[in-house]
């Protein structure tokens, strides 16, 4: 099966790929299946770890729902514009995060480069902090009878 790709190597779903992904997902959910690869040379099964299985399952879910998929290396570096877009913040705000040492970067000449893994960690920490704040507000509301 030819997989349509664009120049940045994003996997673009098409109706046939979406249908195949749905079919595979149905098979996985019906049978509680595990992913096993077969070695072409000796015909031996190679069982995938749970983490790899979940990654493939999530890719299938995205493809079945007509969402493009792109796998990026964790050590990939982004420009400040790309990093700001990734975090969905303004570039000046991103620079404040870097200057405030909340987000590491390295200089290439006079240009800042931010590792993708650092952006993902920052975003994850922000999500955890938001969840903790919401839980605290809920506890306070219950404690003081504020209601909703």
């Amino acid at each position: 099966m030819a997989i349509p790709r664009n120049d940045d190597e994003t996997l673009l779903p098409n109706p046939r790929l979406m249908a195949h992904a749905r079919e595979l997902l149905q098979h996985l959910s019906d049978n509680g299946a595990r992913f096993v690869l077969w070695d072409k040379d000796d015909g031996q099964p190679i069982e995938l770890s749970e983490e790899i299985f979940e990654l493939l399952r999530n890719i299938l879910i995205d493809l079945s729902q007509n969402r493009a998929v792109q796998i990026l290396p964790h050590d990939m570096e982004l420009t400040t514009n790309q990093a700001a877009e990734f975090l969905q913040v303004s570039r000046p705000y991103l620079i404040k995060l870097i200057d405030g040492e909340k987000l590491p970067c390295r200089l290439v000449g006079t240009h800042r480069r931010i590792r993708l893994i650092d952006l993902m960690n920052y975003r994850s920490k922000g999500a955890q902090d938001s969840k903790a704040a919401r839980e605290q507000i809920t506890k306070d509301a219950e404690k003081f009878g504020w209601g909703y």
Side-chain angles (χ1 to χ4, degrees):
M1 171 193 308
I3 299 174
R5 293 187 179 267
N6 62 13
D7 290 340
D8 66 1
E9 294 297 313
T10 301
L11 179 59
L12 299 174
N14 62 44
R16 190 177 73 210
L17 188 62
M18 290 168 52
H20 188 63
R22 281 192 294 274
E23 179 183 314
L24 288 171
L25 282 169
Q26 184 65 43
H27 178 72
L28 291 176
S29 62
D30 285 350
N31 301 322
R34 298 175 311 198
F35 256 85
V36 176
L37 301 177
W38 292 96
D39 187 311
K40 288 170 95 173
D41 295 331
D42 63 12
Q44 295 296 315
I46 303 167
E47 189 168 339
L48 301 179
S49 69
E50 189 172 333
E51 292 85 8
I52 296 294
F53 174 83
E54 282 302 311
L55 174 65
L56 293 173
R57 189 174 137 324
N58 286 328
I59 290 170
L60 289 172
I61 289 169
D62 285 341
L63 291 175
S64 72
Q65 296 175 358
N66 198 25
R67 292 192 300 247
V69 174
Q70 186 174 23
I71 298 176
L72 302 171
H74 75 280
D75 60 348
M76 178 180 177
E77 291 184 327
L78 286 82
T79 66
T80 53
N81 286 332
Q82 293 168 325
E85 184 177 330
F86 179 84
L87 292 177
Q88 297 179 341
V89 299
S90 68
R91 185 179 173 281
Y93 181 78
L94 180 86
I95 300 301
K96 285 181 185 178
L97 292 175
I98 292 169
D99 290 345
E101 297 182 357
K102 295 181 180 178
L103 191 60
C105 77
R106 75 179 184 101
L107 288 176
V108 178
T110 58
H111 302 282
R112 296 177 178 96
R113 295 291 182 263
I114 303 99
R115 292 183 325 151
L116 177 60
I117 191 71
D118 291 332
L119 290 168
M120 292 173 70
N121 289 339
Y122 177 82
R123 186 172 64 180
S124 178
K125 184 182 180 321
Q128 291 170 356
D129 292 348
S130 294
K131 181 179 178 184
R134 287 190 307 272
E135 289 172 358
Q136 186 60 48
I137 289 170
T138 301
K139 286 178 186 176
D140 290 345
E142 290 171 354
K143 179 179 176 181
F144 298 114
W146 292 339
Y148 288 72

